Amino acid sequence: VSANVTASEAALWLAARDNFLIISHRRPDGDTLGSAAALAQGLREAGKTAFVLCNPEATPRYAPYVEDYWAPDDYEPASIIAVDTASVDLFTDNAGAYTGAVSLCIDHHASNSFYGGVNCIDAARATCGEIVFDILTALSGSVSSVTAERLYIALSTDTGCFSFGNTTAETLFAAARLIEYGAPNRVLNKKLFRTKTRGRIKIEGMLASGMEFHFDGIVAIAAITREMMETAGACEDDMDDIAVIAATVEGVGIGITIREMSSANDCKVSVRTMLPYDAHAICLRFDGGGHKMAAGCTLDKPIDEVKTELLEVVADYLKSNF
Amino acid sequence: VSANVTASEAALWLAARDNFLIISHRRPDGDTLGSAAALAQGLREAGKTAFVLCNPEATPRYAPYVEDYWAPDDYEPASIIAVDTASVDLFTDNAGAYTGAVSLCIDHHASNSFYGGVNCIDAARATCGEIVFDILTALSGSVSSVTAERLYIALSTDTGCFSFGNTTAETLFAAARLIEYGAPNRVLNKKLFRTKTRGRIKIEGMLASGMEFHFDGIVAIAAITREMMETAGACEDDMDDIAVIAATVEGVGIGITIREMSSANDCKVSVRTMLPYDAHAICLRFDGGGHKMAAGCTLDKPIDEVKTELLEVVADYLKSNF
């Protein structure tokens, strides 16, 4: 395991090198894509050559901010950087050649496996974007409005526009400075947090209408079938963070969302909890896992069976622990 | 019209006086009640006597943070302070005796009529809470966690947890400092922004599921019947701001929400628009009105007829204006 470096040390490391390729994680969110695009942009502004490895799973929500940095097929990088990616298992398939070759790993996940030659990990930060911001200001003294926009996307999306429990004073200080650097927070907030697609509003409506409450309202459970998505006209991009809804209901401590994925026997379960309930402990029973307040698992069974099994496991979990 | 003073000057003014009564505005929101409670608390920490005039319209959402500061009936104030209140017309009925007696007016509304003996108005600030924060730090050098909590309520609720277009870098800097002073942002965000009652989530779900789109998706129309509310288990408290939902859909310029009220022939219509569409112009055709982006009207007809008539009027409005 390689030692950790500070943002300033990471900046010195970057200053001494060139020809970077930046890798983002599978099922990419705003933090990994915003961090990757901002780092590429900031490195270019520092006179470097930098590209982001095309993430084939980038959705229309974030692609416009990062696709201009996709590396050409014949690009020959000298240094590989991974952002917001806790482990090489989270690399996209086209990043397979780089799993043993990461020169610098920048991340905020406590579970990071320190797989880089150099690692700049700070698990106290709410977002990876904050660490990239620190590195770029250490490198160049400031960031451009283009970089600030991408960093604002990273910070705001990973904190639910600063409303999630991970948001710290540091996050808000950084966001304030990004606005001063020209991040268009009004436009971005309207687009990212105050606009829903027609598919999203319909699928949210169906999810909420069908939500069931169990165990004196401590458990909310919602199912989303492929048929519901078709009726709603919802696509994968519309499903971002849909699992949080069940856990936002007053009194609910365990919010469970089951999604039918590629087939009727392929269900993805997302569990969101409020303390003292432990999402990870529940998902472990199905060989899944995650964090205490957000975890997941997959079951190769029809959605109705998944629901029944989950409620049985939750009943047992509640009985054993409370 | 009295001249404007800075936050530092307002602090000096406060330091030289005592026995304050703080007034909040009619239909009170988190900014006016949070600012009032924070100012009372901060003045007390500076060794002063300070109370908030009871606001009889304070809702359960904010009352817990301010009711401990309500002035006793026999309180005899020496200096009257109004917060977040653009004009004495917005005073609650029990503040009638003070309309001509405001010593210090603290506000962020551009429309403020400078009705105080001294006025500390800054229309560039997103929230009144930020100005109160500046005044209290000028007065005492810092704020306590109790004061910070109330100021955080003011800042976060008036900016939709920092997502509205009014949010500035200053707002986020101030919020970050409040967290450093001990404002429990996690608890407050969860309570204020990430919790919905079961009735609310169900009625939102039904509203979204039944939402229709017309005129190439420019118009979204949603109906809420009394039967739907009964099925959802939703009460009037659950209906706060429900009309904004139709206007948050991508591409929608005119969001219409129709509610069946006391009887099947008593419908309340709320229209929310994005520029250039004019909610007021549409509601005027039914003898209603309001602002350009938010207006309403009532029709004494069954909900289906109301919907048909509205769509006819909107068709005519669109044809005449665009």
Side-chain angles (χ1 to χ4, degrees):
Chain A
V1 171
S2 307
N4 212 4
V5 300
T6 64
S8 302
E9 288 165 341
L12 287 173
W13 187 95
L14 290 167
R17 284 165 184 77
D18 203 348
N19 299 310
F20 301 100
L21 181 69
I22 303 160
I23 293 175
S24 57
H25 66 69
R26 205 178 266 281
R27 297 178 58 91
D29 56 17
D31 196 14
T32 197
L33 293 178
S35 291
L39 186 56
Q41 175 69 26
L43 285 168
R44 289 181 188 186
E45 287 166 11
K48 307 288 186 182
T49 298
F51 289 98
V52 177
L53 182 69
C54 175
N55 191 319
E57 298 175 25
T59 59
R61 183 173 165 92
Y62 302 119
Y65 303 101
V66 64
E67 61 196 2
D68 288 350
Y69 304 96
W70 291 153
D73 287 341
D74 59 353
Y75 181 56
E76 293 190 3
S79 300
I80 313 299
I81 307 173
V83 289
D84 194 44
T85 306
S87 132
V88 295
D89 297 340
L90 299 171
F91 278 22
T92 51
D93 290 339
N94 62 334
Y98 303 113
T99 52
V102 173
S103 317
L104 172 63
C105 175
I106 305 171
D107 193 20
H108 71 124
H109 291 98
S111 58
N112 191 287
S113 60
F114 282 68
Y115 56 86
V118 173
N119 297 283
C120 183
I121 319 288
D122 187 351
R125 307 305 286 263
T127 66
C128 184
E130 291 167 60
I131 306 170
V132 172
F133 188 23
D134 283 352
I135 293 172
L136 289 176
T137 45
L139 180 68
S140 303
S142 66
V143 299
S144 72
S145 62
V146 176
T147 307
E149 179 178 38
R150 281 146 185 80
L151 289 173
Y152 185 89
I153 291 167
L155 269 63
S156 61
T157 59
D158 232 33
T159 59
C161 203
F162 316 110
S163 75
F164 292 163
N166 60 350
T167 310
T168 67
E170 290 288 292
T171 318
L172 292 172
F173 276 125
R177 288 168 52 222
L178 290 172
I179 294 171
E180 288 188 331
Y181 282 128
N185 65 310
R186 286 171 203 200
V187 175
L188 291 173
N189 289 349
K190 171 68 185 162
K191 184 175 167 178
L192 298 171
F193 305 108
R194 307 195 68 78
T195 302
K196 289 177 180 176
T197 62
R198 226 190 266 192
R200 172 70 180 211
I201 201 133
K202 287 283 179 191
I203 200 75
E204 276 191 8
M206 294 163 89
L207 179 150
S209 303
M211 193 180 290
E212 286 177 20
F213 301 96
H214 297 272
F215 307 109
D216 296 326
I218 288 171
V219 176
I221 191 160
I224 304 173
T225 62
R226 289 178 300 155
E227 191 188 340
M228 283 164 72
M229 285 187 64
E230 203 169 305
T231 307
C235 62
E236 199 49 44
D237 209 27
D238 295 321
M239 307 309 283
D240 210 30
D241 260 345
I242 197 100
V244 305
I245 296 174
T248 60
V249 181
E250 195 172 37
V252 169
I254 303 172
I256 301 171
T257 308
I258 312 171
R259 281 188 58 197
E260 208 180 52
M261 302 301 285
S262 56
S263 78
N265 284 317
D266 173 18
C267 287
K268 185 184 149 196
V269 176
S270 297
V271 180
R272 297 287 180 275
T273 53
M274 303 290 294
L275 296 178
Y277 305 104
D278 187 341
H280 178 71
I282 293 165
C283 291
L284 257 187
R285 313 252 189 137
F286 299 100
D287 296 322
H291 306 282
K292 192 160 169 97
M293 296 176 75
C297 54
T298 49
L299 282 85
D300 298 334
K301 288 177 183 172
I303 199 159
D304 287 339
E305 286 182 33
V306 171
K307 193 166 126 185
T308 307
E309 277 197 33
L310 267 162
L311 287 173
E312 282 168 10
V313 161
V314 167
D316 185 55
Y317 165 79
L318 289 172
K319 204 176 156 192
S320 309
N321 292 278
F322 299 95
Chain B
V1 171
S2 307
N4 212 5
V5 300
T6 64
S8 302
E9 288 165 342
L12 287 172
W13 187 95
L14 289 167
R17 284 164 184 77
D18 204 349
N19 299 310
F20 301 99
L21 181 70
I22 303 161
I23 293 175
S24 57
H25 66 69
R26 201 180 270 281
R27 294 177 57 90
D29 55 18
D31 196 14
T32 196
L33 293 178
S35 291
L39 186 57
Q41 176 68 27
L43 285 168
R44 289 181 187 185
E45 287 165 12
K48 307 289 186 180
T49 298
F51 289 98
V52 176
L53 181 70
C54 175
N55 190 319
E57 299 175 23
T59 60
R61 183 173 164 90
Y62 302 118
Y65 303 101
V66 64
E67 61 197 3
D68 287 348
Y69 305 95
W70 291 154
D73 287 342
D74 60 353
Y75 181 55
E76 293 190 2
S79 299
I80 313 298
I81 307 173
V83 288
D84 194 44
T85 305
S87 133
V88 295
D89 297 341
L90 299 172
F91 278 22
T92 51
D93 290 342
N94 62 334
Y98 303 112
T99 52
V102 174
S103 315
L104 172 63
C105 175
I106 305 171
D107 192 20
H108 71 123
H109 291 98
S111 59
N112 190 288
S113 62
F114 282 69
Y115 56 86
V118 172
N119 298 283
C120 183
I121 319 287
D122 186 352
R125 305 306 286 263
T127 67
C128 184
E130 292 167 59
I131 306 170
V132 172
F133 187 23
D134 283 352
I135 293 172
L136 289 177
T137 46
L139 180 68
S140 303
S142 65
V143 299
S144 72
S145 62
V146 177
T147 307
E149 179 178 38
R150 281 144 185 80
L151 289 174
Y152 185 89
I153 292 168
L155 270 62
S156 62
T157 58
D158 232 32
T159 59
C161 202
F162 316 110
S163 76
F164 293 164
N166 59 350
T167 311
T168 67
E170 291 288 292
T171 318
L172 292 172
F173 275 126
R177 288 167 52 221
L178 290 171
I179 294 171
E180 287 188 332
Y181 282 128
N185 65 309
R186 287 172 201 200
V187 175
L188 291 173
N189 289 349
K190 171 67 184 162
K191 183 174 169 178
L192 299 170
F193 305 109
R194 308 195 66 80
T195 302
K196 289 177 179 175
T197 63
R198 224 189 270 194
R200 173 69 179 212
I201 201 134
K202 286 284 179 193
I203 200 74
E204 277 192 7
M206 295 164 88
L207 179 149
S209 303
M211 193 180 291
E212 287 176 20
F213 301 95
H214 297 272
F215 309 108
D216 296 326
I218 289 170
V219 177
I221 192 161
I224 303 173
T225 62
R226 289 178 300 157
E227 192 190 339
M228 283 164 70
M229 284 187 62
E230 204 169 304
T231 307
C235 62
E236 200 51 41
D237 273 355
D238 295 320
M239 308 307 283
D240 209 30
D241 260 347
I242 197 103
V244 304
I245 296 174
T248 60
V249 182
E250 194 173 37
V252 168
I254 303 171
I256 302 170
T257 308
I258 312 171
R259 282 189 57 197
E260 206 179 57
M261 302 302 286
S262 56
S263 78
N265 284 314
D266 172 17
C267 287
K268 185 181 149 196
V269 176
S270 297
V271 180
R272 297 288 180 276
T273 52
M274 306 287 292
L275 295 177
Y277 305 104
D278 187 341
H280 178 73
I282 294 165
C283 292
L284 258 187
R285 313 252 189 134
F286 298 100
D287 295 323
H291 305 282
K292 192 162 169 95
M293 296 176 75
C297 54
T298 48
L299 282 84
D300 298 334
K301 288 176 184 174
I303 199 159
D304 287 338
E305 285 181 35
V306 171
K307 192 166 126 184
T308 307
E309 277 197 32
L310 267 162
L311 287 174
E312 283 168 10
V313 160
V314 168
D316 185 54
Y317 165 79
L318 289 172
K319 203 175 156 193
S320 308
N321 292 278
F322 298 94

